[in-house]
Amino acid sequence: MNSELRIKNSELKDDGAGNAVSEKTGEVVIDVRNVKKMFRVYRDRGNTLKERLLFAGRRRYEEHWVLNGISFQVKKGEAVGLVGENGCGKSTTLKMLTRILYPDEGSIQIKGRVSSLIELGAGFHPDLSGRENIYTNASIFGLSRKEIDERLETIIAFSELEEFIDDPVRTYSSGMYMRLAFAVAINVDADILLIDEILAVGDAAFQAKCFRKLQEIKGQGTTIVIVSHAMAQIEQICERSIWIDEGLIRMEGAPRDVHPHYMAWMSQKNSGGESDLKDAEIDAEGHLKRWGSGEARMTAITVIGKDGQEAKEFSPEDPFTIHIEYTAKKELTDAVVGLAVYRGDGALVYGTNTLIDTSSPLTLKGEGSIDLIVDNLPVTNGDYTFDLAIHRPDGFNYDFRRDICTLHIAGRTQTPGEIALPHRWEIR
Ligand SMILES: Nc1ncnc2c1ncn2[C@@H]1O[C@H](COP(=O)(O)OP(=O)(O)OP(=O)(O)O)[C@@H](O)[C@H]1O
């Protein structure tokens, strides 16, 4: 099934001590320094003569400072998520990386060809057909006509719009626009891909396909910056999250470290100081240990091998299933369960979630179970941490089951084969 999810083992080198190390160059390709951005919000100067005279001495506009000095760097091949509440300046940041907007202060340096999915259908001409728009859109990203000719069929096939490709795009639904825009943006051989909330559009099956494609192009070394409110998507694609609040970077780090703080803060804010997470257990490092407001929790995790039996060992090439049992005191809709696998140095090497397997979010009710299929796990020698996250798109009822197990894998490069699981996948 998800062969596209595979992150090639060839990307991981052995450092001689049995540890997998990344071949990423460490070259900085996005360098944002002390960027400030202001919008002018024009005032109503009145409609009548009386009003105009009354407001005559008043300044015509107010300065609205959206970004107050943000600095961050992104290295080649890194995937970074920008998170934060509505209006905090995430899209403005992304638009400046695409050069749709420019900073009022500070500097932005970008190395490489940029492709972006910022505003749905921006760059599409409504009266031109899907096919014609592929040409105009891809040429904006720097492709020659010949290069576009070569990619045309791939783009159309990915968009699944064969039937409508010669219709004017004004007749497209927003989902169709998104398919076409995504198909173009990921097929222009960009070095850097910037995406604004695009995975929230389209049906669940297409979202899952885009998500897999993103993991694939990340595996090929493309640098990615994503703006999203879907924390699990960021956790499964990005090594780093940057939380923007009131135009400043409030926190930056591994998504699984940053998101619980962000979610707890949001929850506190939205409940007027009375946190939705007040019953949740948060450990000393600020990670949520228990899901939501105590409404649901995992009760057991087992691994089912390809023979359908509980497995004590697995072979990374073979699919296996993580079987999670849970108890939900209240019904929980729109849940997505995801697995992230981190290498010893903290790099994310694998991610999958139930949306990919089922194409729709789950409803958790009473006592039940969830099966999460893991396929083509890209492991070589070294230590790996398996983390399960359960979330809803609204961000609440959120849990990190951190470090459900750590596997030490030795001798795999010499003798690929079965890997022993720990005796117990502990529920903490
Ligand atoms: N062209 C503009 N003119 C005036 N104000 C703007 C303009 N573009 C954005 N803003 C304002 O800047 C602020 C930040 O907007 P931005 O779109 O970057 O937020 P965001 O973090 O992406 O929010 P969301 O999560 O809702 O997408 C908002 O208050 C918005 O109203």
Side-chain angles (χ1 to χ4, degrees):
M1 35 154 274
N2 302 327
S3 58
E4 286 181 325
L5 273 174
R6 185 178 181 136
I7 298 171
K8 289 182 225 86
N9 275 352
S10 58
E11 281 172 22
L12 308 175
K13 273 185 170 175
D14 200 298
D15 67 357
N19 298 315
V21 291
S22 168
E23 282 184 293
K24 277 177 197 163
T25 61
E27 182 196 359
V28 172
V29 291
I30 299 176
D31 191 0
V32 176
R33 295 204 182 189
N34 201 24
V35 162
K36 298 184 183 177
K37 179 72 193 164
M38 178 266 287
F39 289 112
R40 286 181 175 169
V41 182
Y42 286 84
R43 285 176 168 154
D44 182 1
R45 299 181 73 206
N47 294 320
T48 62
L49 180 64
K50 192 176 163 193
E51 281 172 348
R52 287 191 173 239
L53 287 171
L54 205 63
F55 297 148
R58 197 167 125 175
R59 209 164 150 202
R60 283 172 54 231
Y61 58 84
E62 270 175 33
E63 292 186 351
H64 177 29
W65 286 90
V66 173
L67 294 172
N68 297 312
I70 60 164
S71 302
F72 64 90
Q73 296 185 325
V74 183
K75 289 181 179 165
K76 190 173 184 326
E78 225 190 333
V80 172
L82 301 182
V83 300
E85 68 173 333
N86 294 130
C88 72
K90 304 178 295 293
S91 302
T92 303
T93 305
L94 220 54
K95 283 179 187 163
M96 286 193 293
L97 298 181
T98 334
R99 299 195 176 93
I100 296 173
L101 293 174
Y102 289 87
D104 289 293
E105 283 181 37
S107 67
I108 298 180
Q109 304 270 339
I110 309 266
K111 278 190 202 157
R113 183 191 272 183
V114 176
S115 162
S116 62
L117 280 160
I118 304 274
E119 276 171 89
L120 191 58
F124 281 169
H125 192 295
D127 292 327
L128 296 182
S129 68
R131 189 187 302 274
E132 289 163 330
N133 268 298
I134 293 176
Y135 279 92
T136 50
N137 207 234
S139 66
I140 294 170
F141 291 133
L143 256 61
S144 68
R145 186 163 184 101
K146 188 166 167 287
E147 285 173 319
I148 305 169
D149 284 342
E150 286 161 10
R151 288 166 175 76
L152 187 66
E153 288 315 311
T154 316
I155 294 172
I156 297 173
F158 190 91
S159 72
E160 299 171 14
L161 290 170
E162 289 90 345
E163 231 182 292
F164 310 97
I165 205 66
D166 293 309
D167 296 345
V169 300
R170 70 179 137 74
T171 63
Y172 285 14
S173 68
S174 60
M176 289 160 80
Y177 253 76
M178 177 268 179
R179 283 165 186 249
L180 193 63
F182 192 91
V184 174
I186 53 155
N187 279 297
V188 294
D189 293 345
D191 304 302
I192 299 169
L193 180 59
L194 308 172
I195 306 171
D196 194 345
E197 210 54 86
I198 204 75
L199 296 180
V201 194
D203 60 45
F206 196 76
Q207 274 182 32
K209 177 169 151 178
C210 294
F211 183 76
R212 284 199 297 271
K213 189 70 192 176
L214 275 187
Q215 293 212 325
E216 185 190 315
I217 57 179
K218 184 194 164 189
Q220 292 161 355
T222 307
T223 307
I224 300 175
V225 181
I226 305 177
V227 164
S228 182
H229 291 282
M231 300 293 127
Q233 283 176 350
I234 292 190
E235 278 146 36
Q236 286 161 37
I237 297 174
C238 303
E239 287 95 359
R240 189 149 56 98
S241 256
I242 297 174
W243 168 16
I244 300 176
D245 179 36
E246 295 190 351
L248 291 170
I249 293 179
R250 185 162 174 146
M251 197 175 172
E252 185 177 350
R256 59 183 173 151
D257 292 332
V258 174
H259 295 179
H261 288 278
Y262 167 55
M263 298 315 308
W265 175 85
M266 276 286 277
S267 177
Q268 187 86 26
K269 193 171 170 182
N270 290 344
S271 58
E274 179 70 7
S275 174
D276 266 34
L277 300 176
K278 65 183 188 324
D279 298 329
E281 287 174 35
I282 300 181
D283 69 17
E285 293 170 314
H287 303 294
L288 291 180
K289 284 170 71 183
R290 201 153 54 84
W291 183 3
S293 321
E295 290 174 359
R297 62 193 312 262
M298 291 189 231
T299 52
I301 303 171
T302 42
V303 175
I304 311 292
K306 59 181 173 180
D307 56 358
Q309 303 297 314
E310 186 175 340
K312 295 273 180 281
E313 298 191 323
F314 69 92
S315 173
E317 291 83 6
D318 291 331
F320 63 91
T321 303
I322 297 185
H323 180 74
I324 304 148
E325 285 167 28
Y326 65 83
T327 306
K329 282 188 192 160
K330 292 181 192 166
E331 183 174 294
L332 187 78
T333 54
D334 286 338
V336 177
V337 179
L339 172 78
V341 179
Y342 297 89
R343 218 169 41 211
D345 62 2
L348 177 68
V349 293
Y350 181 85
T352 189
N353 65 44
T354 47
L355 203 56
I356 292 172
D357 295 333
T358 61
S359 295
S360 55
L362 307 167
T363 296
L364 277 51
K365 201 175 172 182
E367 292 194 354
S369 65
I370 302 157
D371 284 340
L372 186 63
I373 301 166
V374 181
D375 194 8
N376 278 323
L377 203 58
V379 286
T380 175
N381 294 352
D383 287 323
Y384 294 87
T385 303
F386 288 54
D387 282 3
L388 277 175
I390 302 182
H391 85 119
R392 282 170 32 137
D394 63 9
F396 300 102
N397 298 296
Y398 190 82
D399 184 36
F400 277 101
R401 188 60 53 199
R402 287 198 76 197
D403 307 345
I404 57 169
C405 84
T406 302
L407 289 182
H408 179 74
I409 298 167
R412 177 163 151 63
T413 35
Q414 291 79 19
T415 47
E418 302 283 283
I419 295 169
L421 287 168
H423 297 305
R424 208 155 58 100
W425 290 45
E426 207 173 317
I427 312 280
R428 286 189 243 173

